[in-house]
Amino acid sequence: DEYAVQQLKEFEGKKLLSATKEGLELAEDDDEKKAFEEAKAKTEGLCKLMKEVLDDKVEKVVVSNRLADSPCCLVTGEYGWSANMERIMKAQALRDASQSAYMSSKKTMEINPTNSIIAALREKADADQSDKTVKDLIWLLYDTSLLTSGFSLDEPATFSSRIHRLVKL
């Protein structure tokens, strides 16, 4: 399926779009747009901080209107591999590492400005950006969104130690 859908751009006059890639546009009315723009303006500072903390793990951190319940998700570039395709290619026996580095797309982290976790993190970050707990929470959000978006963790031991540290709080 993964191979076929990548090559099949249109079916019976309908354009096919992957929901796991950036560039997904959802229809919304004027009230929703206005509320989203206000929430986006409030969250810009947090986006910059998250990009600084995550550095080269993500290409950018943006505010998204595609999320309903989740605090954040990772989406791939429009032309790179999806999470599932990346997993398939990692499992190939005779894979080319240089091609993998080129095709495994840069991830964009999309955050939900209306989620209570993001709101609490924004308040903590506004109070003290250098707080180690804020950085741990950002990394934890990144790691959990890796898992929920279909990617695999690079360092499971670091992930678990981060959870243990936060549970101690």
Side-chain angles (χ1 to χ4, degrees):
D1 290 349
E2 190 73 28
Y3 294 108
V5 174
Q6 280 184 350
Q7 302 307 315
L8 191 66
K9 304 288 183 211
E10 197 175 294
F11 180 73
E12 293 184 355
K14 304 270 192 258
K15 187 176 180 193
L16 295 177
L17 289 174
S18 173
T20 64
K21 295 192 175 193
E22 62 185 356
L24 182 69
E25 298 285 326
L26 300 174
E28 54 187 353
D29 60 32
D30 290 340
D31 292 340
E32 288 173 330
K33 278 185 183 170
K34 188 177 178 190
F36 175 71
E37 288 303 321
E38 287 173 13
K40 185 178 179 178
K42 278 193 220 169
T43 316
E44 286 300 321
L46 180 62
C47 287
K48 286 188 181 82
L49 176 65
M50 290 175 89
K51 172 61 183 146
E52 285 172 25
V53 171
L54 298 174
D55 196 28
D56 64 339
K57 293 286 186 185
V58 293
E59 186 178 10
K60 59 189 171 193
V61 178
V62 295
V63 179
S64 173
N65 63 347
R66 88 165 69 195
L67 300 167
D69 301 327
S70 304
C72 56
C73 73
L74 287 172
V75 295
T76 55
E78 198 175 338
Y79 300 106
W81 285 337
S82 66
N84 189 37
M85 189 65 180
E86 206 168 292
R87 186 182 55 75
I88 290 168
M89 294 308 285
K90 277 183 182 174
Q92 297 297 314
L94 299 172
R95 67 187 172 104
D96 181 12
S98 63
Q99 184 194 15
S100 297
Y102 173 72
M103 282 305 291
S104 61
S105 60
K106 283 284 189 187
K107 296 164 188 68
T108 299
M109 184 176 230
E110 294 189 356
I111 61 174
N112 180 357
T114 58
N115 185 279
S116 59
I117 294 171
I118 295 295
L121 183 61
R122 186 176 55 228
E123 287 171 19
K124 276 186 177 296
D126 289 344
D128 181 15
Q129 286 196 349
S130 60
D131 185 5
K132 188 157 175 41
T133 308
V134 170
K135 289 180 179 157
D136 271 350
L137 286 169
I138 290 171
W139 276 108
L140 201 56
L141 281 173
Y142 171 76
D143 288 338
T144 53
S145 62
L146 262 180
L147 292 173
T148 56
S149 298
F151 295 97
S152 54
L153 289 175
D154 297 330
E155 302 160 6
T158 310
F159 174 66
S160 60
S161 67
R162 219 175 256 125
I163 288 176
H164 296 148
R165 224 181 6 251
L166 287 168
V167 169
K168 283 182 195 172
L169 297 175

